[in-house]
Amino acid sequence: MDRYFLGIHEKHADPSVSLVRDGRLLAHVEEERFVRNKHAMNAYPIHALKYCLQTFDLSISDIEAVAINFDLEAYKNGEMQAFFDAWNAAWETDGNTKGWQRALLNQYNPDNLKAHHEFHWRRAFGDQRFPPLIGLSHHRVHAFHAATQSGLAETLVLTLDGSGDKHCSVVWHYKEPTLTPIYEVAIPFSVGWFYAAFTEYLGFEAYDGEYKVMGLASYGGQDPDLREKLSRVLFAAEDGIGYRLDPSFIHYGPHSYSKRYTDTLVELLGRAPRCPDEPIDDWHKRLAFEVQYALEAAISRLAGWAVQETGCRQICLSGGVAHNVALNGKLLSLPDVERVFPHPLCHDGGAPAGAALLACYEATGAKPEPLKSLALGPAYGEEEILKALTNTKWHFTKPDDIAKTIAADLADGKLVGWFQGRIEAGPRALGQRSILADPRDVASRDRVNAAVKYREDWRPFCPSVKADKQRELFKSDCPAAYMTLALPVTDKAKEIMPAVVHVDDTARVQLVDPDHQPLYYALIDAFEGLTGVPALLNTSFNIKGEPIVCSPLDAIRTFACTGLDVLAIGPYRVEKTAA
């Protein structure tokens, strides 16, 4: 008899659900894809839950257990209360921080959480046998997820985030099947909080705009004065291994500008925070550069120690900070590091997959399968696509070979919306729901920014590249299938695909192989046949402020209201001029 496990995340942002059987991740989808509200803040992921159950013809009573990526028992037995009490005794903790602590103790008390989930399940499914909740240590979930799905028998794992249970960062040594913590950084010393604070200082939204800071950093340069000031905020620990964050700049004191940092930080920097609509000047660029530098220095020191301590030269990354592809590329460049695998579902919105895999492993012994694809969400058949096109009265054709036809469109300079198969899990478009353009032409990149994405013109786009052409275009042979690594490019890459090379001569690449993405690979292959370039500019199929499109109607609406020229949706081609 099959044994099914769910993982559910619904803390604040990015609620999501995963389904696992026998160590295999069957489904993972974010609630935002259904409700069309980016990050689906504070929503219960009921649509995502129904998708996971209905797609595999299950009811909630068929589930053996629901895994939660927090140590629930610690929130009931006094362990977390004692931790917070010690924290508050050591630091001059303000009322907002104490309120946050009380909210966590209430939310993750297992009795409260059980009642909360069962309330939503009862409303959706009626009275049934509801599965038990299993609480799992937050950072262990992240580490297990990354280590086991990396396919590596031995690896270091760095779990880096804002906070989870007691910790902000943990270094693990995974030697199959044992996962051992070897270094821990506890609250309140958080590189996630550090980066989130400066994300808001620079006028972006924390836990959404960090990638903007990372992109902006490449346009800045060294600033000795800012570096000295930031060294008072984030600095090496007494042991010379870890790091410390002075919480007086983040937590303790007046918060006139943001909940993420105090007025003390504003006084330190000597300049008012940027408002979202204000221009970005050279000082902002230098600040972004120094913030990124401080992050990379702290984590590189930690990773370097771990490599020397264990002799292991492979690193996995998880936790939300692992979305920082520049940091990931920096770790790969360290002299003793051979390979880096940042899990593409590293943030808390991806943690239900790790929690369900860990719960399944502990109950059944089924080891998780290595990650091969993130096409884990809803798919729509040809009949559903045809109905949507007909009802919205678009003229469309059905080419004999959609890949070759769309490759010709791209070679002609057209901007294409590409909608195929199951939607990707996670924040990156990987050839299921993508906007595509010719990477040879910088003007096409600028047109995507101006007429489709409506976003800042300094943010880079990513290339999807045939995996067998990696060494021609990149100075690294590290596997990079999920846009989680910024790799240095070759001179040939700068020559033939300038639209996807960042100002720092790196690219956040997706390597595409024919076994796991045959149609997308065929498209890139056909484009290479026409142009000699084995790559496409790829960005997510959405406009600024919206989630990635999920359904055919989402795709048609986004196509209609942007500057896209062509929509490739299933086997059908729609051209705007023919409407």
Side-chain angles (χ1 to χ4, degrees):
M1 179 179 175
D2 290 326
R3 300 170 69 179
Y4 292 91
F5 297 81
L6 284 172
I8 296 180
H9 167 74
E10 50 137 4
K11 180 188 174 187
H12 187 51
D14 301 314
S16 51
V17 180
S18 302
L19 179 67
V20 165
R21 182 192 64 213
D22 299 329
R24 182 184 178 197
L25 181 59
L26 301 176
H28 173 90
V29 67
E30 297 86 352
E31 185 72 3
E32 66 164 22
R33 308 295 209 250
F34 301 100
V35 299
R36 309 310 303 154
N37 179 9
K38 191 173 183 182
H39 300 303
M41 303 289 284
N42 299 310
Y44 190 84
I46 196 64
H47 299 86
L49 175 58
K50 287 180 178 179
Y51 162 75
C52 288
L53 295 176
Q54 292 169 0
T55 302
F56 293 90
D57 195 26
L58 299 170
S59 69
I60 191 72
S61 61
D62 294 320
I63 302 301
E64 183 165 329
V66 173
I68 307 294
N69 60 314
F70 284 87
D71 183 2
L72 302 183
E73 190 58 31
Y75 291 84
K76 182 179 180 179
N77 65 15
E79 183 179 343
M80 286 302 299
Q81 180 68 70
F83 174 77
F84 289 144
D85 288 344
W87 174 13
N88 297 341
W91 301 95
E92 194 174 325
T93 313
D94 64 9
N96 286 333
T97 301
K98 290 180 180 178
W100 172 77
Q101 294 170 359
R102 289 192 298 270
L104 287 180
L105 291 168
N106 180 68
Q107 180 178 4
Y108 291 114
N109 178 288
D111 297 331
N112 294 344
L113 202 63
K114 179 177 184 291
H116 170 72
H117 282 286
E118 290 188 358
F119 169 79
H120 287 282
W121 299 344
R122 190 171 289 108
R123 290 187 67 192
F125 309 120
D127 284 315
Q128 297 189 35
R129 182 201 69 81
F130 294 139
L133 300 182
I134 297 177
L136 299 165
S137 168
H138 187 86
H139 278 260
R140 181 171 286 276
V141 166
H142 279 317
F144 181 85
H145 194 192
T148 57
Q149 287 209 299
S150 71
L152 300 170
E154 182 181 7
T155 183
L156 294 165
V157 189
L158 275 61
T159 55
L160 314 167
D161 61 12
S163 67
D165 298 328
K166 299 177 183 178
H167 296 106
C168 301
S169 298
V170 181
V171 182
W172 308 76
H173 186 201
Y174 176 72
K175 202 165 186 178
E176 191 177 5
T178 304
L179 182 64
T180 306
I182 60 173
Y183 194 93
E184 298 176 335
V185 181
I187 293 172
F189 307 127
S190 169
V191 287
W193 290 346
F194 168 81
Y195 212 87
F198 283 98
T199 297
E200 293 213 345
Y201 204 104
L202 285 163
F204 309 118
E205 186 176 345
Y207 299 106
D208 179 66
E210 280 81 353
Y211 59 96
K212 298 180 184 182
V213 177
M214 180 185 66
L216 187 63
S218 299
Y219 290 86
Q222 294 186 25
D223 186 314
D225 178 62
L226 283 173
R227 184 166 299 185
E228 189 279 327
K229 289 176 177 176
L230 292 187
S231 72
R232 301 184 221 172
V233 183
L234 183 69
F235 45 88
E238 298 80 359
D239 60 11
I241 299 169
Y243 61 86
R244 293 292 180 262
L245 179 73
D246 186 338
S248 68
F249 294 108
I250 305 299
H251 291 293
Y252 311 139
H255 290 258
S256 301
Y257 301 93
S258 167
K259 294 180 180 179
R260 305 290 174 191
Y261 56 84
T262 67
D263 296 358
T264 306
L265 183 62
V266 181
E267 294 168 7
L268 174 71
L269 295 178
R271 179 164 172 174
R274 175 180 168 268
C275 294
D277 294 331
E278 289 181 348
I280 293 172
D281 62 24
D282 288 342
W283 185 87
H284 297 122
K285 295 174 184 177
R286 294 197 304 274
L287 178 59
F289 178 93
E290 293 296 347
V291 168
Q292 181 69 27
Y293 174 86
L295 172 71
E296 292 178 2
I299 303 308
S300 295
R301 183 175 60 249
L302 192 59
W305 167 84
V307 170
Q308 293 299 316
E309 183 75 6
T310 64
C312 182
R313 298 163 65 90
Q314 303 180 113
I315 297 176
C316 292
L317 293 157
S318 196
V321 177
H323 277 313
N324 191 301
V325 298
L327 167 65
N328 301 342
K330 174 67 174 178
L331 295 179
L332 183 60
S333 73
L334 296 178
D336 293 325
V337 174
E338 293 179 346
R339 179 175 172 181
V340 172
F341 173 73
H343 199 291
L345 297 181
C346 58
H347 62 307
D348 282 0
L357 287 166
L358 179 53
C360 179
Y361 174 75
E362 290 186 343
T364 71
K367 180 188 171 185
E369 296 179 348
L371 184 65
K372 299 297 183 183
S373 173
L374 287 178
L376 296 166
Y380 298 85
E382 185 174 341
E383 183 177 336
E384 292 171 283
I385 292 170
L386 185 60
K387 181 180 178 181
L389 289 171
T390 302
N391 287 346
T392 52
K393 303 188 185 306
W394 285 93
H395 174 76
F396 55 89
T397 59
K398 187 178 181 181
D400 292 335
D401 189 323
I402 190 71
K404 288 184 177 179
T405 300
I406 298 303
D409 287 327
L410 291 163
D412 287 341
K414 293 182 171 68
L415 305 184
V416 174
W418 178 257
F419 181 104
Q420 304 292 338
R422 298 179 71 180
I423 188 173
E424 305 95 332
R428 307 287 172 242
L430 299 169
Q432 316 295 124
R433 305 287 189 276
S434 291
I435 289 172
L436 305 174
D438 186 342
R440 299 174 298 170
D441 187 5
V442 172
S444 69
R445 175 198 67 195
D446 296 340
R447 201 174 141 221
V448 171
N449 256 335
V452 182
K453 299 291 282 188
Y454 310 125
R455 67 180 206 172
E456 299 87 352
D457 60 7
W458 42 263
R459 285 168 52 194
F461 287 113
C462 308
S464 294
V465 176
K466 290 171 60 177
D468 46 75
K469 298 301 176 73
Q470 178 177 4
R471 289 313 302 265
E472 293 181 19
L473 301 177
F474 297 94
K475 299 176 181 179
S476 172
D477 58 5
C478 182
Y482 305 107
M483 291 186 185
T484 57
L485 276 171
L487 298 181
V489 300
T490 63
D491 289 340
K492 181 176 181 180
K494 288 188 280 186
E495 175 188 349
I496 69 172
M497 55 178 202
V500 292
V501 176
H502 197 32
V503 67
D504 62 359
D505 289 339
T506 68
R508 187 181 71 193
V509 63
Q510 175 199 7
L511 298 171
V512 181
D513 74 74
D515 292 334
H516 301 115
Q517 290 184 285
L519 180 61
Y520 194 41
Y521 184 91
L523 173 67
I524 303 171
D525 187 59
F527 182 81
E528 182 186 23
L530 294 170
T531 66
V533 178
L536 292 172
L537 182 156
N538 174 14
T539 188
S540 56
F541 196 165
N542 66 299
I543 60 174
K544 182 180 179 181
E546 291 191 2
I548 296 174
V549 302
C550 183
S551 72
L553 285 176
D554 298 334
I556 292 167
R557 178 180 60 83
T558 303
F559 171 65
C561 70
T562 63
L564 288 171
D565 302 305
V566 171
L567 174 63
I569 182 165
Y572 299 105
R573 177 186 181 274
V574 186
E575 187 167 5
K576 199 165 286 179
T577 55

